[in-house]
């Protein structure tokens, strides 16, 4: 993954989290404070991809008494991640999470940390964070937003944008399962079941694929996509050498 690309999931989670806090306070005279000027400098450096300069500004910014430190730490984590310094990026986010538990950026910080964990292979830890955030989601609309986040992550593992990369079937299945746990519309759920079955088959977990497909088909026998599910189920039977069931 190119370090010049945005962090994978940060943009996807933006709709789930609260709005970003104001950049900085204005001075009493109506002009810009030193903190705001420093933040503007940091943002300009980020836009020009000069992450070293951005980090220099951000280190100065978070030390200022009138700075929005949570905003500075989130941007610092992004600059560090884009520089390939993932451990330091997570340390910046941990500082925000531990020192500012009431920050409006707490949600964004936790999701960005989960994204960094995925990028560094700590998928189980990332899913734990996502589960904790998911439990805070109440409305159906928010649940579907969370499901969409899981689906986009799963799709990136199922069919990587980089054609050189091979699919990561295990991670794809894990994220598709999380999306299903959010409660998907039935038509979308059918598509996810078929993709999970394909991922499980590629992992040689044919029995798991069989169980998944059988359960969905039993619950939704009249659904238009039940035929596609039945065909996939037949393939699972054949892989398990259950030729009578496959007929």
């Amino acid at each position: 993954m190119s370090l010049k690309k945005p962090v994978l999931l940060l943009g996807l989670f933006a709709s789930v989290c609260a709005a970003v806090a104001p950049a900085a306070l204005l001075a009493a005279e109506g002009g810009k404070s030193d903190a705001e000027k420093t933040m503007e400098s940091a943002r300009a450096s980020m836009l020009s991809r000069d992450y070293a300069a951005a980090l220099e500004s951000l280190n100065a910014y978070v030390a200022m008494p009138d700075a929005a430190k949570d905003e500075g730490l989130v941007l610092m984590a992004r600059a560090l991640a884009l520089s390939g310094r993932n451990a330091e990026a997570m340390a910046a986010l941990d500082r925000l999470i531990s020192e500012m538990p009431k920050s409006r950026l707490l949600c964004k910080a936790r999701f960005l940390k989960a994204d960094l964990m995925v990028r560094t292979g700590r998928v189980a830890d990332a899913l734990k964070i996502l589960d904790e955030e998911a439990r805070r989601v109440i409305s159906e609309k928010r649940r579907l937003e969370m499901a969409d986040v899981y689906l986009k992550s799963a799709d990136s593992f199922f069919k990587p944008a980089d054609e050189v990369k091979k699919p990561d079937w295990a991670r794809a299945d894990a994220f598709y399962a999380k999306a299903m746990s959010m409660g998907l519309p039935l038509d979308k759920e059918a598509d996810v079941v078929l993709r999970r079955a394909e991922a499980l088959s590629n992992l040689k977990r044919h029995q798991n694929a069989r169980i998944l497909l059988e359960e969905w088909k039993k619950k939704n026998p009249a659904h238009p996509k039940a035929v596609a599910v039945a065909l996939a189920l037949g393939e699972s039977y054949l892989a398990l050498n259950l030729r009578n069931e496959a007929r």
Side-chain angles (χ1 to χ4, degrees):
M1 182 181 294
S2 170
L3 294 178
K4 294 182 179 180
K5 292 182 180 180
V7 175
L8 177 63
L9 299 180
L10 181 58
L12 300 180
F13 286 120
S15 62
V16 183
C17 298
V20 176
L25 299 175
L26 294 177
E29 296 78 11
K32 292 180 180 178
S33 68
D34 288 341
E36 188 172 29
K37 291 176 184 177
T38 304
M39 175 56 81
E40 286 183 354
S41 176
R43 291 190 180 282
S45 296
M46 289 290 290
L47 288 172
S48 63
R49 297 178 179 175
D50 186 349
Y51 304 126
L55 287 168
E56 184 178 353
S57 296
L58 289 165
N59 279 315
Y61 177 78
V62 297
M64 294 179 175
D66 59 342
K69 290 183 175 61
D70 51 358
E71 185 180 357
L73 288 169
V74 167
L75 194 58
M76 182 184 295
R78 290 187 60 205
L80 287 164
L82 290 165
S83 301
R85 297 159 62 181
N86 292 325
E88 293 172 77
M90 280 194 273
L93 295 168
D94 283 336
R95 179 180 169 188
L96 187 160
I97 292 166
S98 63
E99 295 180 6
M100 289 161 268
K102 295 184 179 180
S103 168
R104 289 189 289 172
L105 295 182
L106 184 65
C107 173
K108 178 175 285 189
R110 287 175 61 79
F111 278 132
L112 179 52
K113 181 178 178 180
D115 176 43
L116 290 169
M117 287 177 167
V118 170
R119 290 178 58 181
T120 53
R122 295 171 58 189
V123 175
D125 291 333
L127 289 173
K128 182 178 179 181
I129 289 176
L130 296 177
D131 281 343
E132 290 171 354
E133 292 303 315
R135 283 195 287 271
R136 302 181 190 183
V137 178
I138 299 174
S139 71
E140 181 180 358
K141 178 182 177 183
R142 292 301 187 188
R143 284 198 302 274
L144 292 177
E145 287 176 348
M146 283 295 300
D148 190 53
V149 168
Y150 286 125
L151 288 174
K152 288 178 179 177
S153 297
D155 288 344
S156 72
F157 290 122
F158 188 90
K159 188 176 181 180
D162 185 348
E163 295 181 359
V164 177
K165 284 189 174 182
K166 294 182 179 180
D168 188 330
W169 303 117
R171 290 180 180 179
D173 177 60
F175 277 91
Y176 281 134
K178 291 297 180 183
M180 288 181 65
S181 73
M182 290 289 101
L184 297 171
L186 199 53
D187 197 59
K188 175 74 75 174
E189 185 180 71
D191 292 334
V192 171
V193 165
L194 289 168
R195 287 204 163 196
R196 284 193 68 194
E198 183 177 345
L200 289 167
S201 294
N202 277 288
L203 292 166
K204 307 301 182 186
R205 293 166 58 189
H206 302 295
Q207 182 66 10
N208 296 87
R210 170 194 173 181
I211 292 170
L212 176 69
L213 293 163
E214 282 182 338
E215 289 180 350
W216 195 92
K217 184 173 178 288
K218 184 178 180 180
K219 291 178 182 177
N220 309 286
H223 192 274
K225 291 187 177 178
V227 175
V229 171
L231 289 172
L233 181 56
E235 292 177 1
S236 293
Y237 286 146
L238 289 173
L240 292 165
N241 202 30
L242 300 172
R243 298 190 178 278
N244 290 334
E245 288 85 345
R247 292 176 183 175

